[in-house]
Amino acid sequence: MNKKNEFPTFPAGCESLLCKHLTKEIFEELKDKKTQNGFALEDAIHSGVVNPDSGIGVYAGDLESYTLFSKLFDPIIQEYHGFSPEDKHKSNLNPNDLDAPNLDPKGEYIVSTRIRVGRNVADLPLGPAITKEQRNEIEKNVSQSLQAMSGNLAGRYYPLKGMNDDIKAALIADHFLFKTGDRFLEAAGLNRNWPEGRGIYHNDEKTFLVWINEEDQLRIISMQMGGNILEVFTRLSSAIQEIEKKVAFSYSEHLGYITSCPTNLGTAMRASVHIKLPKLAQDMTAFKAITDKHFLQIRGIHGEHSESEGGVYDISNKRRLGVTEVECVQDMVNGVKELIAKEKLL
Ligand code: ADP
Ligand code: CIR
């Protein structure tokens, strides 16, 4: 058991970026510092300390965490995104710059496509350090702004509190809604006061969705069945621009959009397909050689930390910072093209 304010111990074989980059020297230097929101080093590392199987293991409580604890966050950001403290982030949400032809015209491989971005409200703490009142205020303001959206983005907000259990389970199983009780988020303080202040907005077709107050205060999502990546990106791009007219988001010249998990900084974008690759999955070395080449991550089909089912994988861009939104999606498109070509050969 790790004692409060003592250098944590990690089990043998721990591979998290926290365990790799948290030296005793950095711990001692940072352990008594707190941001203006009262967020301390021990809060930032708690998820990775109690979950040694974390990939990363750290969360920020606010924008200031990224500077106050930079000796820990910078090497983690450098290793995950290949982005150094001198670099500047850049943005491009123009669908005309994306080269995304139909990769699967017969619909044999790509089951569905989803692109999401994370956003947090400017001048407020991030989820791990937010108060219940601030969180509830965000829910009220953002859901009101969303309910004023028009055209194919028009929809309704459904609070999690009071949601019928069967409806909730169906929304999760169909990949529309976040799951409950994630242990990584729990240990980061992101599940405090659950389910109050959380919910989901979506249009009738469930092709445009916004999660409120999960890991980030907003997760803006565009998704649909099949492999029309350009259509999904175009919808997301116009939705982001609409929402940005009403809600000011936390953004820094250096780190782009500010998110609670450092893997999401920058574009905060994860562009993914659920794709059937049963043959390639028999040779994970060949599979991983292609995904690594294109900076892609392999997940199971029920989201992060889940397993594949029936040879279907979630393939998404890994880099999100120091690359534009168009480049994030382009990484995914290029990799998926090669994965399909390889699967066809087998
Ligand atoms: P994130 O919101 O960070 O992308 P997860 O990996 O937990 O988080 O995924 C959230 C949900 O989105 C999960 O239910 C997952 O199965 C679903 N999902 C992700 N990509 C796709 C996709 N291409 N098609 C359908 N559902 C998807
Ligand atoms: C972990 O460290 O495994 C969790 N805190 C989740 C990290 C986010 N993962 C990712 O690759 N985007």
Side-chain angles (χ1 to χ4, degrees), residues 60-105:
D62 41 30
L63 174 56
E64 191 190 347
S65 304
Y66 284 110
T67 46
L68 191 65
F69 307 124
S70 61
K71 287 207 167 145
L72 174 61
F73 277 109
D74 280 354
I76 290 177
I77 290 169
Q78 168 94 54
E79 180 162 345
Y80 184 87
H81 297 281
F83 183 86
S84 68
E86 299 75 44
D87 289 339
K88 266 195 178 173
H89 182 63
K90 47 191 181 174
S91 175
N92 179 10
L93 273 160
N94 187 349
N96 295 331
D97 294 332
L98 182 69
D99 177 18
N102 190 342
L103 300 176
D104 182 23

mmCIF file of all heavy atoms in Angstrom, residues 60-105:
data_model
loop_
_atom_site.group_PDB
_atom_site.id
_atom_site.type_symbol
_atom_site.label_atom_id
_atom_site.label_comp_id
_atom_site.label_asym_id
_atom_site.label_seq_id
_atom_site.Cartn_x
_atom_site.Cartn_y
_atom_site.Cartn_z
ATOM 1 N N ALA A 60 -4.609 15.534 -15.540
ATOM 2 C CA ALA A 60 -4.440 16.920 -15.101
ATOM 3 C C ALA A 60 -5.730 17.406 -14.459
ATOM 4 O O ALA A 60 -6.825 17.012 -14.885
ATOM 5 C CB ALA A 60 -4.100 17.798 -16.305
ATOM 6 N N GLY A 61 -5.606 18.289 -13.455
ATOM 7 C CA GLY A 61 -6.797 18.835 -12.804
ATOM 8 C C GLY A 61 -7.200 20.170 -13.401
ATOM 9 O O GLY A 61 -8.320 20.634 -13.199
ATOM 10 N N ASP A 62 -6.268 20.768 -14.118
ATOM 11 C CA ASP A 62 -6.528 22.078 -14.728
ATOM 12 C C ASP A 62 -5.373 22.382 -15.684
ATOM 13 O O ASP A 62 -4.386 21.638 -15.737
ATOM 14 C CB ASP A 62 -6.665 23.171 -13.659
ATOM 15 C CG ASP A 62 -5.642 23.011 -12.534
ATOM 16 O OD1 ASP A 62 -4.542 22.485 -12.809
ATOM 17 O OD2 ASP A 62 -5.936 23.387 -11.394
ATOM 18 N N LEU A 63 -5.519 23.493 -16.389
ATOM 19 C CA LEU A 63 -4.466 23.894 -17.336
ATOM 20 C C LEU A 63 -3.134 24.070 -16.604
ATOM 21 O O LEU A 63 -2.069 23.680 -17.100
ATOM 22 C CB LEU A 63 -4.907 25.208 -18.023
ATOM 23 C CG LEU A 63 -3.911 25.897 -18.945
ATOM 24 C CD1 LEU A 63 -3.436 24.969 -20.050
ATOM 25 C CD2 LEU A 63 -4.531 27.155 -19.548
ATOM 26 N N GLU A 64 -3.186 24.630 -15.394
ATOM 27 C CA GLU A 64 -1.968 24.893 -14.628
ATOM 28 C C GLU A 64 -1.201 23.601 -14.298
ATOM 29 O O GLU A 64 0.025 23.626 -14.163
ATOM 30 C CB GLU A 64 -2.339 25.642 -13.326
ATOM 31 C CG GLU A 64 -1.148 26.201 -12.588
ATOM 32 C CD GLU A 64 -1.514 26.712 -11.188
ATOM 33 O OE1 GLU A 64 -2.711 26.869 -10.872
ATOM 34 O OE2 GLU A 64 -0.570 26.917 -10.402
ATOM 35 N N SER A 65 -1.911 22.475 -14.171
ATOM 36 C CA SER A 65 -1.222 21.207 -13.871
ATOM 37 C C SER A 65 -0.132 20.923 -14.901
ATOM 38 O O SER A 65 0.922 20.372 -14.575
ATOM 39 C CB SER A 65 -2.192 20.020 -13.913
ATOM 40 O OG SER A 65 -3.278 20.199 -13.062
ATOM 41 N N TYR A 66 -0.416 21.277 -16.174
ATOM 42 C CA TYR A 66 0.542 20.965 -17.239
ATOM 43 C C TYR A 66 1.832 21.782 -17.125
ATOM 44 O O TYR A 66 2.864 21.367 -17.623
ATOM 45 C CB TYR A 66 -0.106 21.163 -18.620
ATOM 46 C CG TYR A 66 -1.061 20.026 -18.960
ATOM 47 C CD1 TYR A 66 -2.441 20.228 -19.005
ATOM 48 C CD2 TYR A 66 -0.587 18.739 -19.212
ATOM 49 C CE1 TYR A 66 -3.317 19.178 -19.304
ATOM 50 C CE2 TYR A 66 -1.445 17.693 -19.507
ATOM 51 C CZ TYR A 66 -2.808 17.921 -19.553
ATOM 52 O OH TYR A 66 -3.659 16.873 -19.840
ATOM 53 N N THR A 67 1.771 22.949 -16.460
ATOM 54 C CA THR A 67 3.011 23.717 -16.251
ATOM 55 C C THR A 67 3.619 23.426 -14.883
ATOM 56 O O THR A 67 4.811 23.159 -14.776
ATOM 57 C CB THR A 67 2.758 25.238 -16.423
ATOM 58 O OG1 THR A 67 1.569 25.586 -15.709
ATOM 59 C CG2 THR A 67 2.597 25.595 -17.870
ATOM 60 N N LEU A 68 2.769 23.403 -13.850
ATOM 61 C CA LEU A 68 3.306 23.184 -12.496
ATOM 62 C C LEU A 68 3.980 21.806 -12.385
ATOM 63 O O LEU A 68 5.002 21.649 -11.737
ATOM 64 C CB LEU A 68 2.163 23.310 -11.481
ATOM 65 C CG LEU A 68 2.573 23.371 -10.018
ATOM 66 C CD1 LEU A 68 3.378 24.634 -9.715
ATOM 67 C CD2 LEU A 68 1.336 23.335 -9.105
ATOM 68 N N PHE A 69 3.404 20.811 -13.018
ATOM 69 C CA PHE A 69 3.960 19.449 -12.953
ATOM 70 C C PHE A 69 4.612 19.059 -14.283
ATOM 71 O O PHE A 69 4.615 17.884 -14.674
ATOM 72 C CB PHE A 69 2.859 18.435 -12.585
ATOM 73 C CG PHE A 69 2.092 18.804 -11.338
ATOM 74 C CD1 PHE A 69 0.706 18.938 -11.355
ATOM 75 C CD2 PHE A 69 2.757 19.031 -10.143
ATOM 76 C CE1 PHE A 69 -0.003 19.294 -10.207
ATOM 77 C CE2 PHE A 69 2.055 19.386 -8.982
ATOM 78 C CZ PHE A 69 0.674 19.523 -9.015
ATOM 79 N N SER A 70 5.153 20.056 -14.980
ATOM 80 C CA SER A 70 5.672 19.791 -16.338
ATOM 81 C C SER A 70 6.828 18.784 -16.332
ATOM 82 O O SER A 70 7.027 18.075 -17.321
ATOM 83 C CB SER A 70 6.115 21.095 -17.007
ATOM 84 O OG SER A 70 7.145 21.680 -16.250
ATOM 85 N N LYS A 71 7.570 18.717 -15.225
ATOM 86 C CA LYS A 71 8.702 17.763 -15.209
ATOM 87 C C LYS A 71 8.209 16.338 -15.334
ATOM 88 O O LYS A 71 8.936 15.449 -15.774
ATOM 89 C CB LYS A 71 9.520 17.941 -13.931
ATOM 90 C CG LYS A 71 10.323 19.205 -13.979
ATOM 91 C CD LYS A 71 11.574 19.156 -13.147
ATOM 92 C CE LYS A 71 12.460 20.325 -13.508
ATOM 93 N NZ LYS A 71 13.195 20.877 -12.411
ATOM 94 N N LEU A 72 6.965 16.084 -14.949
ATOM 95 C CA LEU A 72 6.381 14.755 -15.141
ATOM 96 C C LEU A 72 5.588 14.693 -16.449
ATOM 97 O O LEU A 72 5.729 13.753 -17.237
ATOM 98 C CB LEU A 72 5.459 14.408 -13.960
ATOM 99 C CG LEU A 72 4.682 13.092 -14.113
ATOM 100 C CD1 LEU A 72 5.625 11.893 -14.225
ATOM 101 C CD2 LEU A 72 3.720 12.902 -12.944
ATOM 102 N N PHE A 73 4.752 15.721 -16.698
ATOM 103 C CA PHE A 73 3.883 15.667 -17.884
ATOM 104 C C PHE A 73 4.683 15.763 -19.196
ATOM 105 O O PHE A 73 4.358 15.067 -20.159
ATOM 106 C CB PHE A 73 2.833 16.783 -17.841
ATOM 107 C CG PHE A 73 1.624 16.441 -17.001
ATOM 108 C CD1 PHE A 73 1.385 17.047 -15.780
ATOM 109 C CD2 PHE A 73 0.710 15.485 -17.437
ATOM 110 C CE1 PHE A 73 0.266 16.728 -15.010
ATOM 111 C CE2 PHE A 73 -0.404 15.152 -16.674
ATOM 112 C CZ PHE A 73 -0.628 15.769 -15.460
ATOM 113 N N ASP A 74 5.711 16.631 -19.237
ATOM 114 C CA ASP A 74 6.421 16.840 -20.515
ATOM 115 C C ASP A 74 7.017 15.554 -21.097
ATOM 116 O O ASP A 74 6.817 15.268 -22.283
ATOM 117 C CB ASP A 74 7.503 17.920 -20.373
ATOM 118 C CG ASP A 74 6.915 19.330 -20.437
ATOM 119 O OD1 ASP A 74 5.708 19.454 -20.712
ATOM 120 O OD2 ASP A 74 7.664 20.295 -20.199
ATOM 121 N N PRO A 75 7.762 14.757 -20.298
ATOM 122 C CA PRO A 75 8.300 13.528 -20.906
ATOM 123 C C PRO A 75 7.209 12.525 -21.315
ATOM 124 O O PRO A 75 7.376 11.787 -22.293
ATOM 125 C CB PRO A 75 9.203 12.937 -19.817
ATOM 126 C CG PRO A 75 8.939 13.695 -18.571
ATOM 127 C CD PRO A 75 8.294 14.993 -18.934
ATOM 128 N N ILE A 76 6.090 12.545 -20.597
ATOM 129 C CA ILE A 76 4.978 11.647 -20.970
ATOM 130 C C ILE A 76 4.376 12.103 -22.302
ATOM 131 O O ILE A 76 4.137 11.303 -23.212
ATOM 132 C CB ILE A 76 3.923 11.597 -19.833
ATOM 133 C CG1 ILE A 76 4.509 10.846 -18.623
ATOM 134 C CG2 ILE A 76 2.626 10.953 -20.310
ATOM 135 C CD1 ILE A 76 3.612 10.778 -17.393
ATOM 136 N N ILE A 77 4.183 13.428 -22.413
ATOM 137 C CA ILE A 77 3.632 13.995 -23.665
ATOM 138 C C ILE A 77 4.607 13.754 -24.827
ATOM 139 O O ILE A 77 4.217 13.385 -25.925
ATOM 140 C CB ILE A 77 3.358 15.506 -23.468
ATOM 141 C CG1 ILE A 77 2.175 15.692 -22.512
ATOM 142 C CG2 ILE A 77 3.117 16.214 -24.791
ATOM 143 C CD1 ILE A 77 1.966 17.126 -22.026
ATOM 144 N N GLN A 78 5.888 13.935 -24.530
ATOM 145 C CA GLN A 78 6.924 13.717 -25.562
ATOM 146 C C GLN A 78 6.879 12.269 -26.061
ATOM 147 O O GLN A 78 6.900 12.005 -27.262
ATOM 148 C CB GLN A 78 8.300 14.020 -24.955
ATOM 149 C CG GLN A 78 9.480 13.565 -25.803
ATOM 150 C CD GLN A 78 9.985 14.678 -26.704
ATOM 151 O OE1 GLN A 78 10.295 15.763 -26.247
ATOM 152 N NE2 GLN A 78 10.063 14.402 -27.995
ATOM 153 N N GLU A 79 6.787 11.340 -25.132
ATOM 154 C CA GLU A 79 6.823 9.933 -25.553
ATOM 155 C C GLU A 79 5.537 9.528 -26.273
ATOM 156 O O GLU A 79 5.572 8.829 -27.277
ATOM 157 C CB GLU A 79 7.060 9.008 -24.343
ATOM 158 C CG GLU A 79 7.110 7.552 -24.777
ATOM 159 C CD GLU A 79 7.760 6.619 -23.778
ATOM 160 O OE1 GLU A 79 8.439 7.070 -22.844
ATOM 161 O OE2 GLU A 79 7.573 5.389 -23.977
ATOM 162 N N TYR A 80 4.382 9.983 -25.774
ATOM 163 C CA TYR A 80 3.112 9.559 -26.400
ATOM 164 C C TYR A 80 2.917 10.199 -27.770
ATOM 165 O O TYR A 80 2.555 9.529 -28.730
ATOM 166 C CB TYR A 80 1.918 9.887 -25.480
ATOM 167 C CG TYR A 80 0.619 9.381 -26.058
ATOM 168 C CD1 TYR A 80 0.183 8.075 -25.808
ATOM 169 C CD2 TYR A 80 -0.149 10.168 -26.916
ATOM 170 C CE1 TYR A 80 -0.990 7.589 -26.382
ATOM 171 C CE2 TYR A 80 -1.309 9.691 -27.491
ATOM 172 C CZ TYR A 80 -1.731 8.395 -27.217
ATOM 173 O OH TYR A 80 -2.876 7.910 -27.798
ATOM 174 N N HIS A 81 3.140 11.536 -27.852
ATOM 175 C CA HIS A 81 2.807 12.252 -29.097
ATOM 176 C C HIS A 81 4.035 12.556 -29.959
ATOM 177 O O HIS A 81 3.879 13.058 -31.079
ATOM 178 C CB HIS A 81 2.148 13.601 -28.783
ATOM 179 C CG HIS A 81 0.834 13.524 -28.055
ATOM 180 N ND1 HIS A 81 -0.355 13.236 -28.687
ATOM 181 C CD2 HIS A 81 0.511 13.700 -26.747
ATOM 182 C CE1 HIS A 81 -1.353 13.267 -27.799
ATOM 183 N NE2 HIS A 81 -0.857 13.540 -26.616
ATOM 184 N N GLY A 82 5.238 12.357 -29.426
ATOM 185 C CA GLY A 82 6.439 12.779 -30.152
ATOM 186 C C GLY A 82 6.467 14.294 -30.263
ATOM 187 O O GLY A 82 6.788 14.852 -31.313
ATOM 188 N N PHE A 83 6.103 14.994 -29.185
ATOM 189 C CA PHE A 83 5.921 16.453 -29.183
ATOM 190 C C PHE A 83 6.764 17.031 -28.064
ATOM 191 O O PHE A 83 6.641 16.618 -26.913
ATOM 192 C CB PHE A 83 4.439 16.728 -28.940
ATOM 193 C CG PHE A 83 4.022 18.174 -28.981
ATOM 194 C CD1 PHE A 83 3.696 18.788 -30.178
ATOM 195 C CD2 PHE A 83 3.911 18.909 -27.808
ATOM 196 C CE1 PHE A 83 3.273 20.113 -30.208
ATOM 197 C CE2 PHE A 83 3.496 20.234 -27.825
ATOM 198 C CZ PHE A 83 3.172 20.826 -29.028
ATOM 199 N N SER A 84 7.641 18.003 -28.395
ATOM 200 C CA SER A 84 8.553 18.492 -27.357
ATOM 201 C C SER A 84 8.079 19.833 -26.793
ATOM 202 O O SER A 84 7.252 20.513 -27.408
ATOM 203 C CB SER A 84 9.962 18.605 -27.919
ATOM 204 O OG SER A 84 9.978 19.635 -28.856
ATOM 205 N N PRO A 85 8.602 20.236 -25.626
ATOM 206 C CA PRO A 85 8.141 21.463 -24.965
ATOM 207 C C PRO A 85 8.294 22.722 -25.827
ATOM 208 O O PRO A 85 7.621 23.706 -25.596
ATOM 209 C CB PRO A 85 9.023 21.540 -23.715
ATOM 210 C CG PRO A 85 9.421 20.135 -23.435
ATOM 211 C CD PRO A 85 9.538 19.470 -24.773
ATOM 212 N N GLU A 86 9.168 22.697 -26.840
ATOM 213 C CA GLU A 86 9.340 23.885 -27.702
ATOM 214 C C GLU A 86 8.328 23.903 -28.844
ATOM 215 O O GLU A 86 8.152 24.918 -29.511
ATOM 216 C CB GLU A 86 10.749 23.909 -28.345
ATOM 217 C CG GLU A 86 11.907 23.975 -27.367
ATOM 218 C CD GLU A 86 12.154 22.634 -26.683
ATOM 219 O OE1 GLU A 86 12.127 21.608 -27.375
ATOM 220 O OE2 GLU A 86 12.330 22.620 -25.438
ATOM 221 N N ASP A 87 7.667 22.780 -29.101
ATOM 222 C CA ASP A 87 6.761 22.694 -30.252
ATOM 223 C C ASP A 87 5.479 23.484 -30.019
ATOM 224 O O ASP A 87 5.103 23.755 -28.885
ATOM 225 C CB ASP A 87 6.400 21.228 -30.530
ATOM 226 C CG ASP A 87 7.572 20.443 -31.087
ATOM 227 O OD1 ASP A 87 8.498 21.073 -31.628
ATOM 228 O OD2 ASP A 87 7.567 19.205 -30.960
ATOM 229 N N LYS A 88 4.817 23.833 -31.147
ATOM 230 C CA LYS A 88 3.522 24.503 -31.067
ATOM 231 C C LYS A 88 2.485 23.640 -31.749
ATOM 232 O O LYS A 88 2.772 23.021 -32.774
ATOM 233 C CB LYS A 88 3.587 25.843 -31.808
ATOM 234 C CG LYS A 88 3.917 26.992 -30.904
ATOM 235 C CD LYS A 88 3.619 28.295 -31.598
ATOM 236 C CE LYS A 88 3.901 29.453 -30.653
ATOM 237 N NZ LYS A 88 3.793 30.718 -31.307
ATOM 238 N N HIS A 89 1.277 23.665 -31.216
ATOM 239 C CA HIS A 89 0.211 22.878 -31.828
ATOM 240 C C HIS A 89 -0.352 23.618 -33.052
ATOM 241 O O HIS A 89 -0.183 24.824 -33.196
ATOM 242 C CB HIS A 89 -0.890 22.608 -30.798
ATOM 243 C CG HIS A 89 -1.975 21.761 -31.362
ATOM 244 N ND1 HIS A 89 -1.742 20.477 -31.788
ATOM 245 C CD2 HIS A 89 -3.275 22.012 -31.629
ATOM 246 C CE1 HIS A 89 -2.871 19.990 -32.289
ATOM 247 N NE2 HIS A 89 -3.807 20.888 -32.193
ATOM 248 N N LYS A 90 -1.010 22.899 -33.949
ATOM 249 C CA LYS A 90 -1.625 23.527 -35.132
ATOM 250 C C LYS A 90 -2.976 22.866 -35.405
ATOM 251 O O LYS A 90 -3.197 21.722 -34.981
ATOM 252 C CB LYS A 90 -0.703 23.384 -36.348
ATOM 253 C CG LYS A 90 -0.157 21.975 -36.516
ATOM 254 C CD LYS A 90 0.964 21.890 -37.544
ATOM 255 C CE LYS A 90 1.437 20.438 -37.654
ATOM 256 N NZ LYS A 90 2.393 20.174 -38.670
ATOM 257 N N SER A 91 -3.849 23.598 -36.096
ATOM 258 C CA SER A 91 -5.204 23.072 -36.297
ATOM 259 C C SER A 91 -5.628 23.181 -37.751
ATOM 260 O O SER A 91 -5.270 24.132 -38.445
ATOM 261 C CB SER A 91 -6.157 23.881 -35.403
ATOM 262 O OG SER A 91 -7.481 23.498 -35.635
ATOM 263 N N ASN A 92 -6.355 22.202 -38.253
ATOM 264 C CA ASN A 92 -6.988 22.279 -39.581
ATOM 265 C C ASN A 92 -8.170 21.329 -39.607
ATOM 266 O O ASN A 92 -8.012 20.116 -39.615
ATOM 267 C CB ASN A 92 -5.996 21.911 -40.688
ATOM 268 C CG ASN A 92 -6.648 21.962 -42.073
ATOM 269 O OD1 ASN A 92 -7.778 22.440 -42.219
ATOM 270 N ND2 ASN A 92 -5.940 21.473 -43.080
ATOM 271 N N LEU A 93 -9.354 21.912 -39.617
ATOM 272 C CA LEU A 93 -10.589 21.101 -39.608
ATOM 273 C C LEU A 93 -11.276 21.120 -40.970
ATOM 274 O O LEU A 93 -12.453 20.790 -41.072
ATOM 275 C CB LEU A 93 -11.546 21.668 -38.552
ATOM 276 C CG LEU A 93 -11.384 21.141 -37.136
ATOM 277 C CD1 LEU A 93 -12.006 22.084 -36.130
ATOM 278 C CD2 LEU A 93 -12.008 19.744 -36.988
ATOM 279 N N ASN A 94 -10.524 21.519 -42.018
ATOM 280 C CA ASN A 94 -11.143 21.666 -43.340
ATOM 281 C C ASN A 94 -11.257 20.318 -44.066
ATOM 282 O O ASN A 94 -10.243 19.748 -44.487
ATOM 283 C CB ASN A 94 -10.291 22.636 -44.169
ATOM 284 C CG ASN A 94 -10.969 22.970 -45.486
ATOM 285 O OD1 ASN A 94 -11.960 22.327 -45.858
ATOM 286 N ND2 ASN A 94 -10.448 23.968 -46.173
ATOM 287 N N PRO A 95 -12.479 19.815 -44.251
ATOM 288 C CA PRO A 95 -12.649 18.508 -44.900
ATOM 289 C C PRO A 95 -12.086 18.457 -46.320
ATOM 290 O O PRO A 95 -11.738 17.382 -46.805
ATOM 291 C CB PRO A 95 -14.170 18.304 -44.919
ATOM 292 C CG PRO A 95 -14.726 19.276 -43.940
ATOM 293 C CD PRO A 95 -13.759 20.418 -43.856
ATOM 294 N N ASN A 96 -11.970 19.644 -46.967
ATOM 295 C CA ASN A 96 -11.428 19.657 -48.340
ATOM 296 C C ASN A 96 -9.969 19.229 -48.383
ATOM 297 O O ASN A 96 -9.449 18.850 -49.428
ATOM 298 C CB ASN A 96 -11.541 21.052 -48.961
ATOM 299 C CG ASN A 96 -12.984 21.451 -49.129
ATOM 300 O OD1 ASN A 96 -13.852 20.591 -49.297
ATOM 301 N ND2 ASN A 96 -13.253 22.741 -49.044
ATOM 302 N N ASP A 97 -9.285 19.311 -47.253
ATOM 303 C CA ASP A 97 -7.863 18.940 -47.213
ATOM 304 C C ASP A 97 -7.648 17.461 -46.904
ATOM 305 O O ASP A 97 -6.513 16.987 -46.832
ATOM 306 C CB ASP A 97 -7.126 19.790 -46.166
ATOM 307 C CG ASP A 97 -7.097 21.253 -46.563
ATOM 308 O OD1 ASP A 97 -7.135 21.525 -47.787
ATOM 309 O OD2 ASP A 97 -7.060 22.115 -45.669
ATOM 310 N N LEU A 98 -8.745 16.749 -46.681
ATOM 311 C CA LEU A 98 -8.628 15.329 -46.336
ATOM 312 C C LEU A 98 -8.722 14.472 -47.599
ATOM 313 O O LEU A 98 -9.616 14.676 -48.422
ATOM 314 C CB LEU A 98 -9.765 14.954 -45.364
ATOM 315 C CG LEU A 98 -9.774 13.520 -44.853
ATOM 316 C CD1 LEU A 98 -8.590 13.287 -43.905
ATOM 317 C CD2 LEU A 98 -11.082 13.221 -44.125
ATOM 318 N N ASP A 99 -7.791 13.536 -47.734
ATOM 319 C CA ASP A 99 -7.843 12.620 -48.873
ATOM 320 C C ASP A 99 -8.429 11.299 -48.368
ATOM 321 O O ASP A 99 -7.719 10.441 -47.856
ATOM 322 C CB ASP A 99 -6.410 12.434 -49.409
ATOM 323 C CG ASP A 99 -6.356 11.440 -50.561
ATOM 324 O OD1 ASP A 99 -7.420 11.164 -51.159
ATOM 325 O OD2 ASP A 99 -5.251 10.937 -50.855
ATOM 326 N N ALA A 100 -9.751 11.185 -48.481
ATOM 327 C CA ALA A 100 -10.426 9.999 -47.922
ATOM 328 C C ALA A 100 -11.395 9.383 -48.928
ATOM 329 O O ALA A 100 -12.611 9.553 -48.830
ATOM 330 C CB ALA A 100 -11.164 10.372 -46.636
ATOM 331 N N PRO A 101 -10.849 8.658 -49.916
ATOM 332 C CA PRO A 101 -11.729 7.967 -50.854
ATOM 333 C C PRO A 101 -12.442 6.822 -50.140
ATOM 334 O O PRO A 101 -12.065 6.463 -49.023
ATOM 335 C CB PRO A 101 -10.751 7.421 -51.897
ATOM 336 C CG PRO A 101 -9.450 7.296 -51.175
ATOM 337 C CD PRO A 101 -9.434 8.355 -50.122
ATOM 338 N N ASN A 102 -13.460 6.278 -50.765
ATOM 339 C CA ASN A 102 -14.165 5.141 -50.148
ATOM 340 C C ASN A 102 -13.241 3.920 -50.143
ATOM 341 O O ASN A 102 -12.891 3.380 -51.191
ATOM 342 C CB ASN A 102 -15.445 4.851 -50.933
ATOM 343 C CG ASN A 102 -16.317 3.858 -50.187
ATOM 344 O OD1 ASN A 102 -15.845 3.160 -49.289
ATOM 345 N ND2 ASN A 102 -17.588 3.803 -50.552
ATOM 346 N N LEU A 103 -12.837 3.484 -48.948
ATOM 347 C CA LEU A 103 -11.837 2.412 -48.833
ATOM 348 C C LEU A 103 -12.456 1.030 -48.945
ATOM 349 O O LEU A 103 -11.758 0.036 -49.093
ATOM 350 C CB LEU A 103 -11.127 2.513 -47.470
ATOM 351 C CG LEU A 103 -10.375 3.812 -47.176
ATOM 352 C CD1 LEU A 103 -9.810 3.787 -45.762
ATOM 353 C CD2 LEU A 103 -9.236 4.013 -48.194
ATOM 354 N N ASP A 104 -13.787 0.979 -48.833
ATOM 355 C CA ASP A 104 -14.444 -0.326 -48.728
ATOM 356 C C ASP A 104 -15.811 -0.257 -49.427
ATOM 357 O O ASP A 104 -16.861 -0.380 -48.782
ATOM 358 C CB ASP A 104 -14.600 -0.632 -47.209
ATOM 359 C CG ASP A 104 -15.233 -1.975 -46.930
ATOM 360 O OD1 ASP A 104 -15.179 -2.870 -47.801
ATOM 361 O OD2 ASP A 104 -15.789 -2.121 -45.824
ATOM 362 N N PRO A 105 -15.788 -0.055 -50.773
ATOM 363 C CA PRO A 105 -17.045 0.207 -51.487
ATOM 364 C C PRO A 105 -18.083 -0.902 -51.318
ATOM 365 O O PRO A 105 -19.285 -0.627 -51.333
ATOM 366 C CB PRO A 105 -16.629 0.341 -52.950
ATOM 367 C CG PRO A 105 -15.157 0.287 -52.984
ATOM 368 C CD PRO A 105 -14.619 -0.051 -51.640
#
